[in-house]
Amino acid sequence: MQESKYGVGELLGMARDRAVPVLVAVPDSALAAPTPCAEYDVKSLVNHLFQVVVEFQKLAAKGESDFASTPDRVGAGPDWRERFAGEADRLVTAWSAPGAEDGVAGAWQMPARLVGSMALLDLTVHVWDLARATGQEYPVAGWAEPVVEQLSGTVATLAPTARTTGVFADPVPVGADASPFERLLAQTGRDPYWVSAV
């Protein structure tokens, strides 16, 4: 796999710049709506993504993360959008720090760059989930190519275990004209053309 010329911090910054406007635009009226990620509604997916953004800051510093439970940060107050934006900034800063990509990280003892790319995956595909669930656009032209390049390798590396453990569903077939981003979504078990039935 060819390694991206971009650091994880840079790539997370690109994804953050797309993610924050989507999260800010999630209306309270949509919090119970379904998402392309079948086990989550909008509120629970926001809480999950919030948890990822917070806990992966610790992993950048070679600390230990805690995913034993997911706090209800959305329910903690109406300023959750601003709090998410602040934590996303801190995630980018953490993974931009010298040494963040060196060595191994977390209880999994996985290569730190791969661990950072797992945060990038969530900050990209789950934000697409939220955009699609709330009727927002998620344009990828002009910014996403290096993110998709990195994540294609990440998904290929993680897929065998992720499918066995149910993190990824089976790949979704796409047409020959599918974009690289649509192919990435399909490899994580998402239907790139998902539309809410609500």
Side-chain angles (χ1 to χ4, degrees), residues 77-141:
D79 64 339
W80 65 264
R81 298 167 182 84
E82 292 77 13
R83 285 185 280 118
F84 178 86
E87 295 294 353
D89 287 344
R90 284 185 275 278
L91 178 71
V92 173
T93 299
W95 282 97
S96 299
E101 294 186 37
D102 297 341
V104 297
W108 316 294
Q109 290 295 288
M110 295 169 67
R113 184 177 174 90
L114 179 61
V115 171
S117 295
M118 292 166 66
L120 179 65
L121 182 64
D122 274 22
L123 196 59
T124 303
V125 298
H126 281 326
V127 174
W128 176 86
D129 290 333
L130 290 168
R132 189 53 62 101
T134 57
Q136 299 185 57
E137 294 296 321
Y138 189 86
V140 296

Side-chain angles (χ1 to χ4, degrees), residues 32-34 195-198:
V195 177
S196 175
V198 175

Side-chain angles (χ1 to χ4, degrees), residues 16-17 31 38 54 66 69 79 100 114 121 126 130 155 174-175 177:
R16 180 269 322 271
D17 291 347
L31 290 174
V54 169
D66 181 6
S69 62
D79 64 339
L114 179 61
L121 182 64
H126 281 326
L130 290 168
V155 169
V174 293
D177 59 344

Side-chain angles (χ1 to χ4, degrees), residues 13-192:
M14 297 173 197
R16 180 269 322 271
D17 291 347
R18 178 59 56 197
V20 169
V22 170
L23 272 288
V24 166
V26 170
D28 289 340
S29 60
L31 290 174
T35 75
C37 200
E39 63 267 35
Y40 294 109
D41 62 13
V42 168
K43 180 182 177 182
S44 61
L45 186 54
V46 170
N47 277 326
H48 169 70
L49 185 59
F50 219 134
Q51 180 81 334
V52 167
V53 166
V54 169
E55 294 299 322
F56 273 79
Q57 295 172 40
K58 302 173 187 177
L59 293 170
K62 307 303 188 288
E64 291 300 326
S65 60
D66 181 6
F67 287 95
S69 62
T70 302
D72 183 7
R73 291 181 167 94
V74 174
D79 64 339
W80 65 264
R81 298 167 182 84
E82 292 77 13
R83 285 185 280 118
F84 178 86
E87 295 294 353
D89 287 344
R90 284 185 275 278
L91 178 71
V92 173
T93 299
W95 282 97
S96 299
E101 294 186 37
D102 297 341
V104 297
W108 316 294
Q109 290 295 288
M110 295 169 67
R113 184 177 174 90
L114 179 61
V115 171
S117 295
M118 292 166 66
L120 179 65
L121 182 64
D122 274 22
L123 196 59
T124 303
V125 298
H126 281 326
V127 174
W128 176 86
D129 290 333
L130 290 168
R132 189 53 62 101
T134 57
Q136 299 185 57
E137 294 296 321
Y138 189 86
V140 296
W143 74 274
E145 183 176 349
V147 171
V148 172
E149 178 186 35
Q150 176 68 27
L151 291 181
S152 295
T154 300
V155 169
T157 300
L158 297 175
T161 300
R163 291 198 179 105
T164 300
T165 57
V167 175
F168 294 169
D170 289 335
V172 173
V174 293
D177 59 344
S179 70
F181 186 70
E182 290 168 342
R183 292 183 186 282
L184 174 69
L185 293 171
Q187 285 301 306
T188 68
R190 286 165 171 76
D191 176 1

